[in-house]
Amino acid sequence: MRHTLTVLVENTPGVLARVAGLFSRRGFNIDSLAVGRTDNPAVSRMTIVVEGDDQVLEQVNKQLHKLIDVIKINDITKDAYVDRELVMIKVYAEAATRSEIMQLVDIFRGRIVDVGRKTLTIEVTGDEGKIDAFENCLRPFGIKELVRTGKIAMLRGLKPGTKNNGYKEEDMV
Amino acid sequence: MEITAAEALIQCLEKEEVKIIFGCPGGAILPVYDALYGSSIKHVLVRHEQGAAHAADGYARVTGKVGVCIATSGPGATNLVTGIANAYMDSVPMVVITGQVATTQVGTDAFQEVDITGITIPVTKHNYLVKDPRQLPMIVKKAFHIASTGRPGPVLIDLPRDIASRKIKFKYPKNFALPGYKPTYKGHPSMVQQAARVIMKSERPVIYAGGGVRISGASQELLKLAETISAPVTHTLMGLGCFPGDHPLFLGMLGLHGTRYANLAVTGCDCLIAVGARFDDRVVSKISGFAPTARVIHIDIDPAEIGKNVRTHLPIVGDVKTVLEALLPLLDKKDNAAWFERIEQLKLENPLVYKQERQDVLKPQFVIEKLNQYKPCDAIVVTDVGQHQMWAAQYMRFKEPRCFLSSGGLGAMGFCLPAAVGAGLGAPGRTVILVAGDGGFQMTIQELATAAEQNLPLKIFIINNRKLGMVRQLQEYYHDKRYIAVDFRFNLDFAALGRMYGMEGYTVETPEQLMELLPGILASPVPVMVNCIVSGDENVLPMVLAGTNIDEAVDK
């Protein structure tokens, strides 16, 4: 089963290497990993999608916790959460296919961010399923380049007792 | 007043009450060595950086304090890696300081540059590359805290040369923030209560004690637990000494080369209390056949160890001593008379044995048995890795923890001599006995010079079978006796070698010769090297073959 973890880490050099190294070293499978800093510049937030059964996930959790730079881990798979991914696709667009592609972009609420002589570059955000569907729709036209950010995710609403990014204020003192 | 970061580092070490550091200088670490000039900290110059790491490790194991070692950048740092990994696997508190090329050169493949923080991520509890000299005192403070608390381990600080020379205003911090590091010491009360209920209901309990008991200083609590509930105690290699070896409830080591009765007791028990142990593959062998009828209670400070290898019914995350202190008042005295009788019977039926067919042949087991018999009661025994190590674990008995030092998790040949140097310096006045194979000993043999320089009266017993005995044994069992690359054809005269380093050197080839010399050697104030020429084809038995249950060990 695929699990979505949100992981708060200290924003130190090497923290990404520590986390990524841990996954490969212990044979855990990362589907995607997205990282960026939070409202607190000293803290980064990772969204990690990892494949494994409950026992594997328990180990992932515990081993991540052993990293000194890891502040908090939330497995939000079973909670209500919002997740987004952003994709940019450069697709071949001749005069004959251009309008059809633009219709698809509309349907998926995407945006055209660059127009070339023979290509269009399109940006779409959404959950993984939507991005996959969009990619499949464009495939027949010929995809020249594609880049995905990997999933970022956030719990819906407010969990009691939690502030900034889901960690307690005193955690950061 | 401003001082250099290197001077600040030395002052930090002094504030952490570091008395002794092990190391070897080089270009990039020179500012730190310069700051060491005139310091109260004793520096022990080793002959190879691996020796520095093992010596700091041995020092830490004997004293319980944080061991400190230091080396230069590049090869100095990489030479430490085996020793760091060894400390990591056996949870030994250590702070490792390495020099690094100047920050302006980092990343340019400069002379003697390696990315040692990158290399050691998997084998350190944490590591730091110092990029701002003002952060150094805080980093040292955190490093000592991380190394010595929770599940201990090595922490590395990589200090670029230009940073070390920069001036800072020095103040050793009192407080620090480690938001991601909060070890759990106190066991969850309801889990402790449940454990007490399971233990009181059990009729055939066994305690399985590991190195966590020593680290946490919980030998007294362990003894009380065992005696209260009349549970026999088996131990891991790391746990040897945590429970008195002469106690009627003592079962000896379990696992691959464990005693047959310990393995049978674990297989037959209805409640297995794992205390500061981690169900290593050398203990468990085939997972499905390990303690199949037992409710497993697992007490460990590292939550990641719980449920990692073996299914646990009752996990208690916490410091072993703290948890046992909470558990003991909840238990009533019970005697499990039938179980105790069964254990006694198992011990009688399955004693540890070896054959002494001829009186003129020296058996390795005999040497170790006699060493155990004649050693002073506060002696420290340090082993290397291999057959002799397993025989030592089988035949040596201790009343106290921190008397038996061995490389467990990593199984690093070459550990013995440098670790004994650290142990000898950490426990002056106590007899330090080294039991090493001729193979492993040659891997760090250069540290004989360090030992001589430090005037350590080490008592070195080379269990010399002229081969890599454990590898030979594995080839016998798993590769149809196709022996390859296990025989040493050059016969090294260890006695003469010892004499070259200013030791007394003896060669013994028969039990009689050994017994003539042994009492005198162990009482002698000078360093002694004994080359014990033992029979070459001995196997460590019993032996649990790969993929079998621990109660199915073979005897031949």
Side-chain angles (χ1 to χ4, degrees):
Chain A
M1 183 182 162
R2 291 175 69 194
H3 288 252
T4 304
L5 310 180
T6 66
V7 184
L8 290 176
V9 298
E10 289 199 66
N11 187 9
T12 53
V15 63
L16 183 59
R18 286 178 207 280
V19 171
L22 172 74
F23 275 80
S24 68
R25 188 161 74 242
R26 300 228 174 232
F28 305 141
N29 293 320
I30 297 187
D31 273 11
S32 83
L33 190 160
V35 57
R37 70 165 187 78
T38 62
D39 54 321
N40 178 350
V43 177
S44 291
R45 178 161 165 151
M46 296 182 174
T47 306
I48 305 174
V49 180
V50 55
E51 174 79 43
D53 58 24
D54 286 352
Q55 209 199 341
V56 169
L57 256 291
E58 188 184 321
Q59 268 298 306
V60 169
N61 232 296
K62 287 172 166 178
Q63 294 294 347
L64 274 174
H65 259 301
K66 283 180 77 168
L67 298 180
I68 309 289
D69 287 336
V70 170
I71 301 166
K72 190 175 176 72
I73 304 161
N74 252 328
D75 186 344
I76 62 172
T77 315
K78 287 175 182 151
D79 301 319
Y81 67 88
V82 193
D83 65 307
R84 286 292 179 273
E85 213 181 326
L86 186 147
V87 65
M88 288 202 285
I89 305 180
K90 190 178 284 174
V91 65
Y92 285 105
E94 304 289 344
T97 55
R98 215 161 259 244
S99 61
E100 192 182 342
I101 292 171
M102 284 164 76
Q103 267 182 2
L104 284 169
V105 173
D106 268 350
I107 293 167
F108 281 90
R109 291 175 221 277
R111 291 196 307 156
I112 294 168
V113 290
D114 184 60
V115 181
R117 215 154 52 81
K118 288 183 177 169
T119 61
L120 288 173
T121 303
I122 303 151
E123 165 202 307
V124 170
T125 60
D127 62 18
E128 200 188 356
K130 175 178 163 186
I131 307 280
D132 287 345
F134 185 60
E135 187 188 324
N136 284 333
C137 288
L138 289 190
R139 200 172 295 262
F141 302 100
I143 292 172
K144 185 162 164 48
E145 264 184 83
L146 184 148
V147 56
R148 292 171 78 146
T149 56
K151 171 159 130 178
I152 56 170
M154 195 175 267
L155 279 176
R156 289 181 186 276
L158 208 55
K159 262 197 175 175
T162 56
K163 286 182 187 169
N164 312 341
N165 282 301
Y167 59 83
K168 289 189 194 132
E169 202 82 298
E170 62 260 33
D171 285 346
M172 287 307 299
V173 178
Chain B
M1 199 188 76
E2 294 203 327
I3 57 173
T4 67
E7 287 162 346
L9 171 63
I10 300 304
Q11 290 198 19
C12 291
L13 296 181
E14 285 168 352
K15 295 266 187 209
E16 289 292 339
E17 293 174 13
V18 174
K19 300 278 181 281
I20 188 166
I21 63 179
F22 304 87
C24 190
I29 197 72
L30 277 180
V32 176
Y33 270 85
D34 191 56
L36 205 52
Y37 196 92
S39 156
S40 65
I41 297 171
K42 175 183 168 125
H43 177 268
V44 176
L45 178 64
V46 296
R47 296 300 185 269
H48 181 288
E49 289 86 352
Q50 185 187 349
H54 286 324
D57 177 324
Y59 177 85
R61 286 186 207 227
V62 162
T63 60
K65 296 181 197 156
V66 178
V68 180
C69 60
I70 180 165
T72 193
S73 64
T78 52
N79 279 347
L80 290 172
V81 172
T82 302
I84 297 172
N86 189 64
Y88 183 68
M89 294 287 267
D90 289 347
S91 310
V92 178
M94 222 157 88
V95 167
V96 182
I97 296 155
T98 51
Q100 181 56 279
V101 299
T103 45
T104 48
Q105 290 182 307
V106 166
T108 65
D109 303 318
F111 177 64
Q112 294 197 328
E113 180 192 359
V114 296
D115 171 17
I116 196 63
T117 45
I119 288 173
T120 56
I121 282 177
V123 293
T124 50
K125 192 168 168 188
H126 197 51
N127 62 25
Y128 293 96
L129 170 62
V130 186
K131 287 187 166 168
D132 178 346
R134 288 166 302 174
Q135 286 173 349
L136 181 71
M138 181 57 91
I139 286 174
V140 177
K141 179 85 189 172
K142 287 179 179 175
F144 273 85
H145 178 74
I146 293 169
S148 59
T149 53
R151 179 178 180 176
V155 178
L156 180 139
I157 302 170
D158 198 22
L159 182 60
R161 189 179 172 154
D162 58 331
I163 300 281
S165 303
R166 275 212 233 133
K167 297 258 183 173
I168 58 167
K169 270 201 195 116
F170 175 67
K171 195 178 161 240
Y172 199 51
K174 278 204 188 96
N175 303 316
F176 53 87
L178 283 168
Y181 180 67
K182 294 199 179 71
T184 309
Y185 285 89
K186 210 167 154 278
H188 196 285
S190 86
M191 295 311 267
V192 175
Q193 279 165 12
Q194 282 186 53
R197 275 198 295 275
V198 170
I199 291 170
M200 287 319 293
K201 256 198 245 161
S202 71
E203 287 165 1
R204 306 185 307 278
V206 167
I207 296 169
Y208 151 45
V213 177
R214 162 177 52 89
I215 293 166
S216 149
S219 295
Q220 285 310 312
E221 289 73 15
L222 179 69
L223 181 62
K224 251 186 239 164
L225 172 69
E227 288 183 341
T228 306
I229 60 168
S230 303
V233 179
T234 179
H235 62 81
T236 66
L237 184 67
M238 292 291 100
L240 180 53
C242 291
F243 191 79
D246 55 359
H247 198 283
L249 290 168
F250 179 79
L251 279 178
M253 187 171 72
L254 82 165
L256 205 73
H257 292 300
T259 60
R260 188 174 286 281
Y261 42 90
N263 285 341
L264 288 169
V266 168
T267 305
C269 73
D270 66 350
C271 174
L272 185 71
I273 311 165
V275 189
R278 62 186 181 93
F279 296 89
D280 172 73
D281 55 285
R282 297 291 134 138
V283 162
V284 172
S285 195
K286 191 172 164 190
I287 292 173
S288 60
F290 184 77
T293 50
R295 302 275 293 169
V296 177
I297 299 170
H298 191 178
I299 306 169
D300 204 290
I301 197 160
D302 181 357
E305 289 302 345
I306 287 170
K308 187 177 79 177
N309 297 338
V310 166
R311 212 165 69 87
T312 301
H313 302 92
L314 249 166
I316 304 177
V317 178
D319 168 58
V320 164
K321 188 183 170 86
T322 314
V323 171
L324 290 185
E325 277 170 352
L327 179 64
L328 282 168
L330 308 178
L331 301 172
D332 299 319
K333 183 102 185 125
K334 60 184 201 139
D335 62 5
N336 310 314
W339 179 232
F340 185 74
E341 220 167 275
R342 169 94 182 111
I343 297 286
E344 286 296 293
Q345 191 192 347
L346 287 176
K347 282 187 188 174
L348 277 176
E349 286 169 0
N350 305 281
L352 272 174
V353 282
Y354 62 91
K355 287 197 189 104
Q356 183 79 55
E357 301 97 341
R358 289 168 49 179
Q359 286 314 304
D360 57 345
V361 172
L362 193 58
K363 289 272 181 167
Q365 299 94 324
F366 176 83
V367 179
I368 288 162
E369 205 176 32
K370 291 300 159 191
L371 271 174
N372 180 53
Q373 223 171 318
Y374 283 83
K375 68 177 159 60
C377 63
D378 69 340
I380 296 165
V381 175
V382 190
T383 79
D384 213 81
V385 171
Q387 288 184 314
H388 70 278
Q389 177 192 31
M390 290 298 106
W391 286 315
Q394 289 176 336
Y395 289 95
M396 289 276 181
R397 297 283 179 272
F398 297 91
K399 291 198 169 127
E400 305 252 327
R402 300 192 184 280
C403 292
F404 178 76
L405 277 54
S406 200
S407 165
L410 191 67
M413 287 170 72
F415 172 79
C416 179
L417 177 56
V421 169
L425 291 165
R430 284 169 68 181
T431 308
V432 179
I433 300 169
L434 292 77
V435 184
D438 52 317
F441 194 77
Q442 292 185 66
M443 289 193 175
T444 49
I445 200 164
Q446 74 284 347
E447 302 306 331
L448 281 171
T450 312
E453 229 162 56
Q454 299 298 327
N455 295 312
L456 291 170
L458 303 179
K459 309 290 181 270
I460 305 177
F461 292 82
I462 305 292
I463 310 297
N464 187 354
N465 58 2
R466 289 123 1 246
K467 48 175 67 77
L468 296 166
M470 186 59 96
V471 185
R472 190 210 66 86
Q473 179 170 350
L474 294 175
Q475 288 177 351
E476 177 180 335
Y477 281 92
Y478 298 124
H479 296 278
D480 295 330
K481 302 190 181 180
R482 287 153 58 86
Y483 301 123
I484 178 164
V486 289
D487 284 302
F488 294 138
R489 286 191 296 265
F490 178 78
N491 195 3
L492 178 58
D493 183 349
F494 285 91
L497 180 84
R499 286 193 286 270
M500 288 183 68
Y501 283 97
M503 313 175 77
E504 282 179 12
Y506 302 101
T507 300
V508 295
E509 294 183 77
T510 64
E512 203 187 342
Q513 287 171 352
L514 177 73
M515 293 319 294
E516 243 168 61
L517 289 168
L518 191 57
I521 289 169
L522 292 177
S524 156
V526 300
V528 185
M529 171 85 82
V530 190
N531 185 15
C532 306
I533 309 290
V534 298
S535 49
D537 299 324
E538 277 315 297
N539 285 328
V540 183
L541 297 168
M543 177 182 184
V544 179
L545 296 175
T548 63
N549 296 335
I550 59 168
D551 62 338
E552 298 167 342
V554 296
D555 274 325
K556 57 181 177 189

